[in-house]
Amino acid sequence: MIFNRDFLIIAHRGASFDAPENTMAAFQLAYRLKADMIELDLQLTSDGMPVVFHDTKLDKKTDGTGLVNRYRLNELKMLNAGGWFSGSYTGEKIPTLSEVLDWAKGRILVNIEIKPEAVADNIEGGIEEKTVSLVKKFEMENKVLISSFDYRVIKRIKDLEPAIKTGLLYHKNESKGAEYAELVRQYDADFFHCSHREVREKEAALLRNKKIPFLVYTVNTPSLMKKMIRFGASGIFTDKPGLLYRISQEC
Ligand code: G3P
Ligand code: MG
């Protein structure tokens, strides 16, 4: 059991096939589609506010241009974060982490993925401290999973607050050929996250034998969903949580 469930339906950037990714509309739709957890990407504004946005640049997913971290929160809040997806979403704004946690509390679990671009060498006042402090403010320590491709983040989060679960997002270049289970142990993580391309029957069996829960991204087809469930994944990140809900009921 993880987060009191046998299997997690994780809405990748929200229900991002049917609504603009990383917006409140996508998170609310994921909830309506019965996702257990939403995944979001986290970065810092130039004035140090944690905001939910995937790309380092604003250009593709808003009507702004340039790097997210060059703008203050009040400037980012003026942007249209939904129009690129469809005219009916022009009212969507870039959410802050605080806004998402405030909405998610009592509704849905949250996977906060801290983007490596937002990580500084100094943890003090950095994105890790800010994230943990918000999670504590909303008393969501047991409702949140924090992950990152930057392995330092995983360790720092545990040092700051051991009660918060962490997921090591596998990154080949950071791993120096180490085995998956060894990385999880080394960075004191609770979960192993990887692309569906990085887990075959053999790796899945090794993780299962070591009782390390693993979560796989980003899986959007029924055949791949079924395969990952057969491999024993504890959860799947998908842009289509409604589809995964139906498939997981069948399996
Ligand atoms: O956390 C899983 C997945 O979101 C990692 O890749 O680029 O979609 O953030 P990306
Ligand atoms: Mg992500």
Side-chain angles (χ1 to χ4, degrees), residues 7-65:
F7 178 75
L8 292 174
I9 294 167
I10 310 165
H12 178 245
R13 311 180 195 175
S16 58
F17 186 79
D18 292 307
E21 65 180 49
N22 282 323
T23 62
M24 290 308 301
F27 300 139
Q28 285 159 356
L29 181 57
Y31 175 63
R32 292 200 296 276
L33 292 172
K34 299 193 170 74
D36 300 292
M37 177 180 269
I38 51 167
E39 185 257 5
L40 59 85
D41 303 290
L42 198 66
Q43 306 194 49
L44 286 181
T45 63
S46 66
D47 48 343
M49 302 298 288
V51 286
V52 177
F53 201 76
H54 179 271
D55 302 352
T56 46
K57 284 188 164 182
L58 295 163
D59 302 53
K60 283 189 189 153
K61 304 287 159 71
T62 73
D63 53 350
T65 54

Tab-separated table of all heavy atoms in Angstrom, residues 7-65:
chain	number	residue	atom	x	y	z
A	7	PHE	N	-2.709	1.187	-5.933
A	7	PHE	CA	-2.180	1.656	-7.216
A	7	PHE	C	-2.561	3.131	-7.386
A	7	PHE	O	-3.684	3.525	-7.081
A	7	PHE	CB	-2.810	0.818	-8.349
A	7	PHE	CG	-2.397	1.233	-9.718
A	7	PHE	CD1	-1.131	0.924	-10.217
A	7	PHE	CD2	-3.265	1.965	-10.531
A	7	PHE	CE1	-0.744	1.326	-11.492
A	7	PHE	CE2	-2.890	2.359	-11.808
A	7	PHE	CZ	-1.621	2.039	-12.284
A	8	LEU	N	-1.603	3.925	-7.874
A	8	LEU	CA	-1.858	5.369	-8.016
A	8	LEU	C	-2.082	5.780	-9.476
A	8	LEU	O	-1.235	5.511	-10.338
A	8	LEU	CB	-0.659	6.178	-7.493
A	8	LEU	CG	-0.365	6.147	-5.993
A	8	LEU	CD1	0.948	6.886	-5.711
A	8	LEU	CD2	-1.505	6.790	-5.207
A	9	ILE	N	-3.196	6.425	-9.714
A	9	ILE	CA	-3.446	7.059	-11.015
A	9	ILE	C	-2.956	8.498	-10.870
A	9	ILE	O	-3.523	9.281	-10.095
A	9	ILE	CB	-4.941	7.027	-11.352
A	9	ILE	CG1	-5.377	5.569	-11.543
A	9	ILE	CG2	-5.251	7.874	-12.591
A	9	ILE	CD1	-6.867	5.372	-11.566
A	10	ILE	N	-1.885	8.804	-11.585
A	10	ILE	CA	-1.247	10.115	-11.397
A	10	ILE	C	-1.437	10.951	-12.662
A	10	ILE	O	-0.975	10.578	-13.750
A	10	ILE	CB	0.260	9.958	-11.099
A	10	ILE	CG1	0.482	8.936	-9.973
A	10	ILE	CG2	0.867	11.310	-10.736
A	10	ILE	CD1	1.923	8.450	-9.860
A	11	ALA	N	-2.114	12.060	-12.509
A	11	ALA	CA	-2.393	12.933	-13.655
A	11	ALA	C	-1.174	13.818	-13.925
A	11	ALA	O	-0.866	14.727	-13.145
A	11	ALA	CB	-3.634	13.768	-13.388
A	12	HIS	N	-0.502	13.517	-15.039
A	12	HIS	CA	0.756	14.174	-15.401
A	12	HIS	C	0.499	15.617	-15.838
A	12	HIS	O	-0.164	15.834	-16.847
A	12	HIS	CB	1.387	13.360	-16.534
A	12	HIS	CG	2.661	13.901	-17.059
A	12	HIS	ND1	2.791	14.362	-18.340
A	12	HIS	CD2	3.878	14.047	-16.473
A	12	HIS	CE1	4.035	14.758	-18.539
A	12	HIS	NE2	4.717	14.577	-17.420
A	13	ARG	N	0.956	16.559	-15.052
A	13	ARG	CA	0.689	18.003	-15.261
A	13	ARG	C	-0.823	18.262	-15.218
A	13	ARG	O	-1.313	19.153	-15.917
A	13	ARG	CB	1.287	18.504	-16.572
A	13	ARG	CG	2.749	18.111	-16.784
A	13	ARG	CD	3.314	18.629	-18.094
A	13	ARG	NE	4.568	17.956	-18.423
A	13	ARG	CZ	5.247	18.143	-19.560
A	13	ARG	NH1	4.803	19.003	-20.447
A	13	ARG	NH2	6.373	17.490	-19.787
A	14	GLY	N	-1.549	17.451	-14.462
A	14	GLY	CA	-3.014	17.479	-14.461
A	14	GLY	C	-3.528	16.590	-15.578
A	14	GLY	O	-2.783	15.779	-16.122
A	15	ALA	N	-4.805	16.754	-15.900
A	15	ALA	CA	-5.360	15.974	-17.026
A	15	ALA	C	-4.953	16.710	-18.301
A	15	ALA	O	-5.762	17.367	-18.961
A	15	ALA	CB	-6.876	15.868	-16.895
A	16	SER	N	-3.665	16.579	-18.645
A	16	SER	CA	-3.074	17.501	-19.623
A	16	SER	C	-3.353	17.145	-21.083
A	16	SER	O	-2.952	17.882	-21.971
A	16	SER	CB	-1.568	17.618	-19.386
A	16	SER	OG	-0.968	16.353	-19.465
A	17	PHE	N	-4.074	16.033	-21.309
A	17	PHE	CA	-4.509	15.764	-22.686
A	17	PHE	C	-5.751	16.588	-23.013
A	17	PHE	O	-5.966	16.989	-24.145
A	17	PHE	CB	-4.791	14.268	-22.877
A	17	PHE	CG	-5.106	13.896	-24.302
A	17	PHE	CD1	-4.092	13.748	-25.244
A	17	PHE	CD2	-6.425	13.729	-24.729
A	17	PHE	CE1	-4.391	13.427	-26.569
A	17	PHE	CE2	-6.725	13.400	-26.048
A	17	PHE	CZ	-5.696	13.256	-26.967
A	18	ASP	N	-6.557	16.851	-21.986
A	18	ASP	CA	-7.851	17.509	-22.203
A	18	ASP	C	-7.926	18.935	-21.690
A	18	ASP	O	-8.969	19.587	-21.823
A	18	ASP	CB	-8.964	16.679	-21.534
A	18	ASP	CG	-9.160	15.348	-22.246
A	18	ASP	OD1	-9.358	15.372	-23.467
A	18	ASP	OD2	-9.083	14.301	-21.581
A	19	ALA	N	-6.855	19.410	-21.058
A	19	ALA	CA	-6.842	20.781	-20.519
A	19	ALA	C	-5.384	21.263	-20.505
A	19	ALA	O	-4.467	20.438	-20.518
A	19	ALA	CB	-7.436	20.786	-19.108
A	20	PRO	N	-5.149	22.579	-20.496
A	20	PRO	CA	-3.759	23.059	-20.549
A	20	PRO	C	-2.942	22.626	-19.325
A	20	PRO	O	-3.379	22.805	-18.191
A	20	PRO	CB	-3.907	24.585	-20.613
A	20	PRO	CG	-5.307	24.884	-20.198
A	20	PRO	CD	-6.123	23.682	-20.493
A	21	GLU	N	-1.792	22.032	-19.597
A	21	GLU	CA	-0.960	21.441	-18.541
A	21	GLU	C	-0.643	22.436	-17.420
A	21	GLU	O	-0.467	23.634	-17.656
A	21	GLU	CB	0.354	20.937	-19.150
A	21	GLU	CG	1.230	22.048	-19.721
A	21	GLU	CD	2.526	21.500	-20.311
A	21	GLU	OE1	2.469	20.530	-21.092
A	21	GLU	OE2	3.593	22.057	-19.995
A	22	ASN	N	-0.510	21.878	-16.215
A	22	ASN	CA	-0.083	22.666	-15.047
A	22	ASN	C	-0.948	23.896	-14.774
A	22	ASN	O	-0.446	24.931	-14.309
A	22	ASN	CB	1.386	23.091	-15.198
A	22	ASN	CG	2.351	21.958	-14.869
A	22	ASN	OD1	2.113	21.155	-13.968
A	22	ASN	ND2	3.458	21.888	-15.597
A	23	THR	N	-2.248	23.790	-15.089
A	23	THR	CA	-3.170	24.888	-14.715
A	23	THR	C	-4.207	24.324	-13.744
A	23	THR	O	-4.410	23.100	-13.665
A	23	THR	CB	-3.919	25.458	-15.937
A	23	THR	OG1	-4.731	24.409	-16.518
A	23	THR	CG2	-2.959	26.027	-16.972
A	24	MET	N	-4.907	25.200	-13.057
A	24	MET	CA	-5.946	24.744	-12.138
A	24	MET	C	-7.014	23.968	-12.898
A	24	MET	O	-7.566	22.995	-12.378
A	24	MET	CB	-6.587	25.935	-11.394
A	24	MET	CG	-5.691	26.609	-10.377
A	24	MET	SD	-4.915	25.532	-9.144
A	24	MET	CE	-6.317	24.785	-8.354
A	25	ALA	N	-7.290	24.372	-14.149
A	25	ALA	CA	-8.297	23.646	-14.950
A	25	ALA	C	-7.877	22.191	-15.132
A	25	ALA	O	-8.704	21.276	-15.013
A	25	ALA	CB	-8.475	24.323	-16.305
A	26	ALA	N	-6.596	21.959	-15.414
A	26	ALA	CA	-6.102	20.586	-15.620
A	26	ALA	C	-6.127	19.793	-14.310
A	26	ALA	O	-6.426	18.592	-14.308
A	26	ALA	CB	-4.688	20.624	-16.188
A	27	PHE	N	-5.842	20.437	-13.198
A	27	PHE	CA	-5.860	19.730	-11.912
A	27	PHE	C	-7.299	19.398	-11.498
A	27	PHE	O	-7.588	18.295	-11.033
A	27	PHE	CB	-5.150	20.567	-10.831
A	27	PHE	CG	-3.705	20.856	-11.166
A	27	PHE	CD1	-3.142	22.102	-10.933
A	27	PHE	CD2	-2.894	19.870	-11.733
A	27	PHE	CE1	-1.808	22.368	-11.253
A	27	PHE	CE2	-1.559	20.122	-12.057
A	27	PHE	CZ	-1.019	21.375	-11.818
A	28	GLN	N	-8.183	20.366	-11.707
A	28	GLN	CA	-9.585	20.125	-11.328
A	28	GLN	C	-10.204	19.027	-12.193
A	28	GLN	O	-10.961	18.193	-11.692
A	28	GLN	CB	-10.376	21.443	-11.451
A	28	GLN	CG	-10.047	22.375	-10.296
A	28	GLN	CD	-10.359	23.833	-10.565
A	28	GLN	OE1	-10.767	24.208	-11.665
A	28	GLN	NE2	-10.154	24.673	-9.558
A	29	LEU	N	-9.844	19.003	-13.462
A	29	LEU	CA	-10.357	17.947	-14.343
A	29	LEU	C	-9.811	16.582	-13.902
A	29	LEU	O	-10.541	15.584	-13.881
A	29	LEU	CB	-9.975	18.243	-15.799
A	29	LEU	CG	-10.468	17.217	-16.832
A	29	LEU	CD1	-11.985	17.051	-16.786
A	29	LEU	CD2	-10.022	17.622	-18.245
A	30	ALA	N	-8.542	16.525	-13.520
A	30	ALA	CA	-7.944	15.266	-13.041
A	30	ALA	C	-8.728	14.726	-11.839
A	30	ALA	O	-8.991	13.528	-11.733
A	30	ALA	CB	-6.483	15.495	-12.669
A	31	TYR	N	-9.109	15.624	-10.957
A	31	TYR	CA	-9.894	15.234	-9.784
A	31	TYR	C	-11.247	14.660	-10.207
A	31	TYR	O	-11.670	13.603	-9.727
A	31	TYR	CB	-10.060	16.458	-8.879
A	31	TYR	CG	-10.947	16.252	-7.689
A	31	TYR	CD1	-10.625	15.325	-6.695
A	31	TYR	CD2	-12.126	16.989	-7.539
A	31	TYR	CE1	-11.449	15.141	-5.587
A	31	TYR	CE2	-12.951	16.819	-6.444
A	31	TYR	CZ	-12.605	15.887	-5.475
A	31	TYR	OH	-13.420	15.702	-4.387
A	32	ARG	N	-11.884	15.334	-11.157
A	32	ARG	CA	-13.195	14.851	-11.641
A	32	ARG	C	-13.053	13.497	-12.333
A	32	ARG	O	-13.960	12.674	-12.312
A	32	ARG	CB	-13.834	15.877	-12.586
A	32	ARG	CG	-14.263	17.154	-11.901
A	32	ARG	CD	-15.296	17.918	-12.714
A	32	ARG	NE	-14.799	18.387	-13.993
A	32	ARG	CZ	-14.107	19.517	-14.176
A	32	ARG	NH1	-13.847	20.291	-13.137
A	32	ARG	NH2	-13.701	19.886	-15.363
A	33	LEU	N	-11.909	13.242	-12.955
A	33	LEU	CA	-11.682	11.977	-13.669
A	33	LEU	C	-11.177	10.867	-12.736
A	33	LEU	O	-10.716	9.821	-13.183
A	33	LEU	CB	-10.701	12.196	-14.823
A	33	LEU	CG	-11.226	13.071	-15.973
A	33	LEU	CD1	-10.120	13.400	-16.974
A	33	LEU	CD2	-12.382	12.397	-16.690
A	34	LYS	N	-11.177	11.157	-11.424
A	34	LYS	CA	-10.852	10.163	-10.395
A	34	LYS	C	-9.360	9.836	-10.284
A	34	LYS	O	-8.985	8.725	-9.872
A	34	LYS	CB	-11.652	8.869	-10.584
A	34	LYS	CG	-13.162	9.046	-10.501
A	34	LYS	CD	-13.822	7.674	-10.369
A	34	LYS	CE	-15.282	7.746	-10.044
A	34	LYS	NZ	-16.130	8.163	-11.144
A	35	ALA	N	-8.491	10.772	-10.675
A	35	ALA	CA	-7.062	10.558	-10.421
A	35	ALA	C	-6.844	10.536	-8.908
A	35	ALA	O	-7.569	11.193	-8.156
A	35	ALA	CB	-6.250	11.683	-11.056
A	36	ASP	N	-5.838	9.760	-8.465
A	36	ASP	CA	-5.484	9.742	-7.048
A	36	ASP	C	-4.553	10.891	-6.711
A	36	ASP	O	-4.512	11.380	-5.588
A	36	ASP	CB	-4.747	8.438	-6.702
A	36	ASP	CG	-5.593	7.233	-6.972
A	36	ASP	OD1	-6.594	7.052	-6.267
A	36	ASP	OD2	-5.262	6.477	-7.921
A	37	MET	N	-3.735	11.268	-7.713
A	37	MET	CA	-2.649	12.231	-7.466
A	37	MET	C	-2.486	13.106	-8.705
A	37	MET	O	-2.686	12.637	-9.827
A	37	MET	CB	-1.361	11.424	-7.197
A	37	MET	CG	-0.105	12.226	-6.983
A	37	MET	SD	1.338	11.111	-6.689
A	37	MET	CE	1.318	10.948	-4.917
A	38	ILE	N	-2.125	14.361	-8.480
A	38	ILE	CA	-1.708	15.203	-9.617
A	38	ILE	C	-0.197	15.365	-9.548
A	38	ILE	O	0.385	15.425	-8.461
A	38	ILE	CB	-2.393	16.599	-9.602
A	38	ILE	CG1	-2.252	17.289	-8.233
A	38	ILE	CG2	-3.847	16.493	-10.032
A	38	ILE	CD1	-2.622	18.756	-8.231
A	39	GLU	N	0.420	15.414	-10.723
A	39	GLU	CA	1.846	15.736	-10.798
A	39	GLU	C	1.957	17.163	-11.296
A	39	GLU	O	1.190	17.579	-12.187
A	39	GLU	CB	2.548	14.788	-11.775
A	39	GLU	CG	4.072	14.964	-11.829
A	39	GLU	CD	4.586	15.723	-13.051
A	39	GLU	OE1	3.767	16.225	-13.854
A	39	GLU	OE2	5.808	15.843	-13.207
A	40	LEU	N	2.879	17.939	-10.715
A	40	LEU	CA	3.118	19.310	-11.190
A	40	LEU	C	4.613	19.575	-11.196
A	40	LEU	O	5.381	18.915	-10.495
A	40	LEU	CB	2.369	20.330	-10.316
A	40	LEU	CG	2.675	20.370	-8.815
A	40	LEU	CD1	3.891	21.237	-8.521
A	40	LEU	CD2	1.459	20.916	-8.068
A	41	ASP	N	5.012	20.548	-12.030
A	41	ASP	CA	6.424	20.917	-12.148
A	41	ASP	C	6.631	22.260	-11.452
A	41	ASP	O	5.827	23.179	-11.624
A	41	ASP	CB	6.802	21.025	-13.622
A	41	ASP	CG	6.518	19.726	-14.354
A	41	ASP	OD1	7.225	18.745	-14.098
A	41	ASP	OD2	5.563	19.694	-15.157
A	42	LEU	N	7.717	22.354	-10.703
A	42	LEU	CA	7.910	23.538	-9.864
A	42	LEU	C	9.183	24.301	-10.213
A	42	LEU	O	10.263	23.716	-10.367
A	42	LEU	CB	7.972	23.100	-8.391
A	42	LEU	CG	7.730	24.214	-7.382
A	42	LEU	CD1	6.298	24.737	-7.472
A	42	LEU	CD2	8.015	23.744	-5.966
A	43	GLN	N	9.026	25.624	-10.304
A	43	GLN	CA	10.170	26.515	-10.533
A	43	GLN	C	10.015	27.744	-9.632
A	43	GLN	O	8.981	27.920	-8.998
A	43	GLN	CB	10.190	26.976	-11.990
A	43	GLN	CG	10.161	25.828	-12.980
A	43	GLN	CD	10.533	26.299	-14.375
A	43	GLN	OE1	11.528	26.990	-14.571
A	43	GLN	NE2	9.731	25.920	-15.348
A	44	LEU	N	11.033	28.596	-9.627
A	44	LEU	CA	10.973	29.825	-8.823
A	44	LEU	C	10.891	31.049	-9.726
A	44	LEU	O	11.531	31.101	-10.771
A	44	LEU	CB	12.217	29.958	-7.938
A	44	LEU	CG	12.346	29.061	-6.713
A	44	LEU	CD1	13.634	29.392	-5.971
A	44	LEU	CD2	11.146	29.191	-5.780
A	45	THR	N	10.115	32.044	-9.279
A	45	THR	CA	10.082	33.328	-9.989
A	45	THR	C	11.331	34.136	-9.599
A	45	THR	O	12.071	33.747	-8.683
A	45	THR	CB	8.840	34.139	-9.557
A	45	THR	OG1	8.975	34.415	-8.155
A	45	THR	CG2	7.563	33.371	-9.813
A	46	SER	N	11.529	35.281	-10.248
A	46	SER	CA	12.703	36.100	-9.913
A	46	SER	C	12.613	36.636	-8.481
A	46	SER	O	13.626	36.932	-7.864
A	46	SER	CB	12.862	37.261	-10.899
A	46	SER	OG	11.789	38.155	-10.759
A	47	ASP	N	11.386	36.758	-7.949
A	47	ASP	CA	11.252	37.183	-6.551
A	47	ASP	C	11.060	35.982	-5.609
A	47	ASP	O	10.543	36.118	-4.493
A	47	ASP	CB	10.163	38.249	-6.368
A	47	ASP	CG	8.838	37.928	-7.049
A	47	ASP	OD1	8.798	37.049	-7.933
A	47	ASP	OD2	7.832	38.562	-6.699
A	48	GLY	N	11.477	34.812	-6.069
A	48	GLY	CA	11.583	33.661	-5.173
A	48	GLY	C	10.287	32.960	-4.819
A	48	GLY	O	10.213	32.267	-3.798
A	49	MET	N	9.261	33.082	-5.653
A	49	MET	CA	7.991	32.413	-5.367
A	49	MET	C	7.898	31.101	-6.146
A	49	MET	O	8.136	31.094	-7.357
A	49	MET	CB	6.805	33.309	-5.761
A	49	MET	CG	6.808	34.654	-5.071
A	49	MET	SD	6.670	34.507	-3.289
A	49	MET	CE	4.968	34.003	-3.139
A	50	PRO	N	7.546	29.982	-5.468
A	50	PRO	CA	7.393	28.707	-6.191
A	50	PRO	C	6.142	28.711	-7.070
A	50	PRO	O	5.024	28.895	-6.580
A	50	PRO	CB	7.279	27.665	-5.066
A	50	PRO	CG	7.704	28.357	-3.817
A	50	PRO	CD	7.383	29.803	-4.010
A	51	VAL	N	6.360	28.552	-8.391
A	51	VAL	CA	5.243	28.532	-9.347
A	51	VAL	C	5.249	27.233	-10.151
A	51	VAL	O	6.282	26.576	-10.308
A	51	VAL	CB	5.270	29.720	-10.337
A	51	VAL	CG1	4.845	31.001	-9.666
A	51	VAL	CG2	6.613	29.853	-11.026
A	52	VAL	N	4.068	26.903	-10.668
A	52	VAL	CA	3.850	25.623	-11.334
A	52	VAL	C	3.945	25.832	-12.853
A	52	VAL	O	3.060	26.452	-13.458
A	52	VAL	CB	2.457	25.082	-10.912
A	52	VAL	CG1	2.150	23.792	-11.636
A	52	VAL	CG2	2.408	24.894	-9.399
A	53	PHE	N	5.040	25.340	-13.416
A	53	PHE	CA	5.277	25.518	-14.848
A	53	PHE	C	6.351	24.527	-15.269
A	53	PHE	O	7.322	24.330	-14.547
A	53	PHE	CB	5.739	26.965	-15.131
A	53	PHE	CG	5.532	27.390	-16.554
A	53	PHE	CD1	4.266	27.723	-17.027
A	53	PHE	CD2	6.597	27.450	-17.446
A	53	PHE	CE1	4.067	28.111	-18.349
A	53	PHE	CE2	6.410	27.835	-18.766
A	53	PHE	CZ	5.138	28.168	-19.221
A	54	HIS	N	6.191	23.932	-16.442
A	54	HIS	CA	7.149	22.905	-16.865
A	54	HIS	C	8.364	23.463	-17.605
A	54	HIS	O	9.500	23.227	-17.218
A	54	HIS	CB	6.462	21.847	-17.735
A	54	HIS	CG	7.402	20.789	-18.219
A	54	HIS	ND1	8.117	20.903	-19.406
A	54	HIS	CD2	7.800	19.617	-17.663
A	54	HIS	CE1	8.885	19.858	-19.557
A	54	HIS	NE2	8.715	19.044	-18.514
A	55	ASP	N	8.128	24.193	-18.689
A	55	ASP	CA	9.251	24.633	-19.532
A	55	ASP	C	10.066	25.722	-18.828
A	55	ASP	O	9.522	26.478	-18.018
A	55	ASP	CB	8.728	25.210	-20.859
A	55	ASP	CG	7.885	24.210	-21.650
A	55	ASP	OD1	7.827	23.024	-21.248
A	55	ASP	OD2	7.275	24.614	-22.653
A	56	THR	N	11.336	25.834	-19.179
A	56	THR	CA	12.121	26.941	-18.609
A	56	THR	C	11.693	28.268	-19.234
A	56	THR	O	11.766	29.306	-18.599
A	56	THR	CB	13.638	26.741	-18.844
A	56	THR	OG1	13.829	26.357	-20.196
A	56	THR	CG2	14.217	25.715	-17.915
A	57	LYS	N	11.205	28.180	-20.485
A	57	LYS	CA	10.759	29.393	-21.189
A	57	LYS	C	9.238	29.460	-21.284
A	57	LYS	O	8.568	28.433	-21.409
A	57	LYS	CB	11.362	29.420	-22.588
A	57	LYS	CG	12.822	29.820	-22.595
A	57	LYS	CD	13.287	30.002	-24.022
A	57	LYS	CE	14.591	30.774	-24.063
A	57	LYS	NZ	15.027	30.993	-25.451
A	58	LEU	N	8.751	30.687	-21.323
A	58	LEU	CA	7.301	30.910	-21.332
A	58	LEU	C	6.663	30.758	-22.705
A	58	LEU	O	5.446	30.561	-22.817
A	58	LEU	CB	7.025	32.338	-20.844
A	58	LEU	CG	7.417	32.625	-19.395
A	58	LEU	CD1	7.500	34.132	-19.163
A	58	LEU	CD2	6.386	31.987	-18.460
A	59	ASP	N	7.492	30.833	-23.722
A	59	ASP	CA	7.001	31.061	-25.094
A	59	ASP	C	5.914	30.107	-25.605
A	59	ASP	O	4.961	30.546	-26.247
A	59	ASP	CB	8.184	31.025	-26.063
A	59	ASP	CG	9.237	32.062	-25.688
A	59	ASP	OD1	9.671	32.069	-24.504
A	59	ASP	OD2	9.609	32.863	-26.550
A	60	LYS	N	6.089	28.790	-25.350
A	60	LYS	CA	5.159	27.831	-25.964
A	60	LYS	C	3.820	27.732	-25.229
A	60	LYS	O	2.795	27.468	-25.844
A	60	LYS	CB	5.792	26.434	-25.990
A	60	LYS	CG	6.822	26.283	-27.090
A	60	LYS	CD	7.260	24.836	-27.211
A	60	LYS	CE	8.447	24.711	-28.139
A	60	LYS	NZ	9.278	23.551	-27.825
A	61	LYS	N	3.833	27.903	-23.920
A	61	LYS	CA	2.636	27.605	-23.134
A	61	LYS	C	1.984	28.837	-22.503
A	61	LYS	O	1.119	28.692	-21.630
A	61	LYS	CB	2.968	26.560	-22.045
A	61	LYS	CG	3.583	25.263	-22.591
A	61	LYS	CD	2.552	24.403	-23.312
A	61	LYS	CE	3.125	23.388	-24.296
A	61	LYS	NZ	3.819	22.277	-23.701
A	62	THR	N	2.441	30.035	-22.907
A	62	THR	CA	1.781	31.273	-22.457
A	62	THR	C	1.904	32.302	-23.585
A	62	THR	O	2.538	32.033	-24.604
A	62	THR	CB	2.445	31.892	-21.192
A	62	THR	OG1	3.702	32.464	-21.571
A	62	THR	CG2	2.650	30.881	-20.086
A	63	ASP	N	1.374	33.503	-23.340
A	63	ASP	CA	1.563	34.587	-24.311
A	63	ASP	C	2.772	35.456	-23.936
A	63	ASP	O	2.948	36.542	-24.451
A	63	ASP	CB	0.293	35.426	-24.465
A	63	ASP	CG	-0.245	35.940	-23.141
A	63	ASP	OD1	0.248	35.495	-22.073
A	63	ASP	OD2	-1.161	36.778	-23.152
A	64	GLY	N	3.620	34.945	-23.022
A	64	GLY	CA	4.848	35.659	-22.657
A	64	GLY	C	6.053	35.115	-23.402
A	64	GLY	O	5.939	34.156	-24.171
A	65	THR	N	7.202	35.740	-23.165
A	65	THR	CA	8.434	35.260	-23.806
A	65	THR	C	9.565	35.226	-22.780
A	65	THR	O	9.563	35.964	-21.798
A	65	THR	CB	8.907	36.198	-24.949
A	65	THR	OG1	9.027	37.521	-24.417
A	65	THR	CG2	7.965	36.190	-26.124
